[in-house]
Amino acid sequence: MDTTTTPIPPAIPAPPRPGLLGTSLPSSVAAIAALLLFLLPFAELRCKSTSDKNDLGGLNFTGSGGTVLTNTGLGLAIGSQWKANLGAFGSFADKNEMSNRKQDPNTFALVALVLAAAAAAFTFVRHKGGIVLTLLAALGSVAALVGLFFDLRSQVLKVPSGSSGSEDGSNPFNLDQYKDVGLEIAFTPWFFACAVLLLATVWLSFRRYKLS
């Protein structure tokens, strides 16, 4: 009697688990953190004058080289007023009229904010298409932040030193006086941290796509 045995096929090992990078958690955390940073100051307007006392749009202060005004990423996006940093100078003699002046919303800041919010929302989409959308939205937000960086710098260069008003529309920040005052703009660590977190979102989304 023929007694042949059927060979047992070798056991197929289970595919390795993707690990933490294969989940949406890292990219979600990075994207949400980047979005929250828009609530913090992104840019500072500083005085470059070396005189002992300057008057800038009704704001009298002593000292030089300090921060005049700050604005958040959200404020730049929606056109909120620039706020005076009272701790940067010594004493103030007059009421700050500049912080009561609003500016137009910055297109680059608005696009960066919207795309950052979209990236944070897309991280919760389980489909691969959601991962791609997260990557593209975060990358677009970084590009918009780069545009914001150069746009604000170019606006400061347009400010005429010693101008007495803004009726001609040449004053992009709606500040009335720049007599004997030169302005420069600086970007805060929160601005750069936001860009880094968005780039981290791009990389984490790419890794998640590869591992999914």
Side-chain angles (χ1 to χ4, degrees), residues 105-182:
N106 187 284
T107 303
F108 291 103
L110 182 59
V111 171
L113 175 61
V114 171
L115 290 178
F122 288 142
T123 57
F124 295 99
V125 178
R126 296 182 179 275
H127 193 269
K128 268 195 171 184
I131 303 175
V132 175
L133 290 175
T134 301
L135 190 153
L136 294 177
L139 193 60
S141 184
V142 173
L145 288 179
V146 174
L148 174 64
F149 179 88
F150 289 104
D151 181 58
L152 290 184
R153 286 172 61 92
S154 66
Q155 288 188 43
V156 169
L157 293 178
K158 294 177 182 177
V159 174
S161 179
S163 67
S164 58
S166 56
E167 292 83 0
D168 59 353
S170 61
N171 186 339
F173 296 102
N174 291 330
L175 306 181
D176 283 342
Q177 299 180 27
Y178 293 98
K179 185 177 181 180
D180 300 326
V181 175

Side-chain angles (χ1 to χ4, degrees), residues 21-112:
L21 292 180
T23 67
S24 62
L25 180 61
S27 57
S28 297
V29 171
I32 293 174
L35 183 61
L36 291 177
L37 286 180
F38 278 85
L39 301 176
L40 298 177
F42 266 24
E44 301 174 341
L45 282 173
R46 296 176 178 174
C47 172
K48 295 190 296 185
S49 175
T50 57
S51 59
D52 292 333
K53 183 177 181 180
N54 300 309
D55 179 83
L56 181 58
L59 173 64
N60 291 338
F61 59 91
T62 57
S64 60
T67 299
V68 178
L69 299 170
T70 63
N71 210 339
T72 64
L74 177 62
L76 291 170
I78 65 177
S80 295
Q81 62 189 21
W82 288 74
K83 299 183 183 297
N85 188 342
L86 301 179
F89 309 109
S91 60
F92 286 79
D94 296 333
K95 181 181 178 181
N96 177 15
E97 296 177 0
M98 292 187 300
S99 61
N100 296 324
R101 307 295 180 119
K102 295 191 69 176
Q103 64 164 357
D104 294 331
N106 187 284
T107 303
F108 291 103
L110 182 59
V111 171

